[in-house]
Amino acid sequence: VQLVESGGGLVQTGDSLRLSCAGDGGAFGGNHMGWFRQAPGKGLEFVAAIGRSGTTYYADSVKGRFTISSDIYKSTVALQMNSLKPEDTARYFCGRSPSGWYSYTSSYDLWGRGTQVTVSS
């Protein structure tokens, strides 16, 4: 069972990127799925999550700019990022949370290796 992120890259301020997280072996299984990011020298920061029923949650810093979505049948979770800012530069990770405490890293039991997003000014 694993999660694999893709879609990162180098973009300019104001650009958009779409990250994707693909799961296999039943990685999703009705769990909450979330995106976190880690900037150099900092800890993991909650970005967005989507619950079993499709309810979405966002950090204040990305609300209105980022959109999380999932396709259960394809076992993918996407993060559409619009109006990117230099402060969005980080490595982005997707994870699986069986408990639903979506903003706490300790509630996640499976992580991908991440994909780098760099936003130049």
Side-chain angles (χ1 to χ4, degrees):
V1 177
Q2 63 177 352
L3 299 173
V4 180
E5 302 93 335
S6 62
L10 172 62
V11 297
Q12 294 184 333
T13 297
D15 285 350
S16 298
L17 273 177
R18 185 177 179 86
L19 305 184
S20 182
C21 173
D24 67 359
F28 281 31
N31 296 284
H32 284 68
M33 301 298 296
W35 285 95
F36 284 71
R37 64 188 181 187
Q38 186 170 30
K42 297 187 177 180
L44 279 171
E45 174 192 22
F46 170 72
V47 176
I50 186 165
R52 301 178 184 91
S53 62
T55 303
T56 57
Y57 312 89
Y58 297 95
D60 288 343
S61 59
V62 306
K63 202 170 292 183
R65 300 188 297 123
F66 291 12
T67 303
I68 187 171
S69 60
S70 67
D71 186 328
I72 297 175
Y73 301 103
K74 294 182 179 179
S75 293
T76 58
V77 177
L79 185 68
Q80 177 66 42
M81 306 187 296
N82 299 328
S83 302
L84 283 162
K85 305 175 182 180
E87 51 263 44
D88 294 319
T89 295
R91 190 165 185 84
Y92 284 70
F93 299 85
C94 74
R96 180 184 71 180
S97 172
S99 72
W101 294 93
Y102 56 87
S103 65
Y104 294 92
T105 57
S106 58
S107 77
Y108 288 75
D109 67 350
L110 182 67
W111 294 94
R113 293 186 175 184
T115 184
Q116 179 67 34
V117 172
T118 303
V119 184
S120 64
S121 57

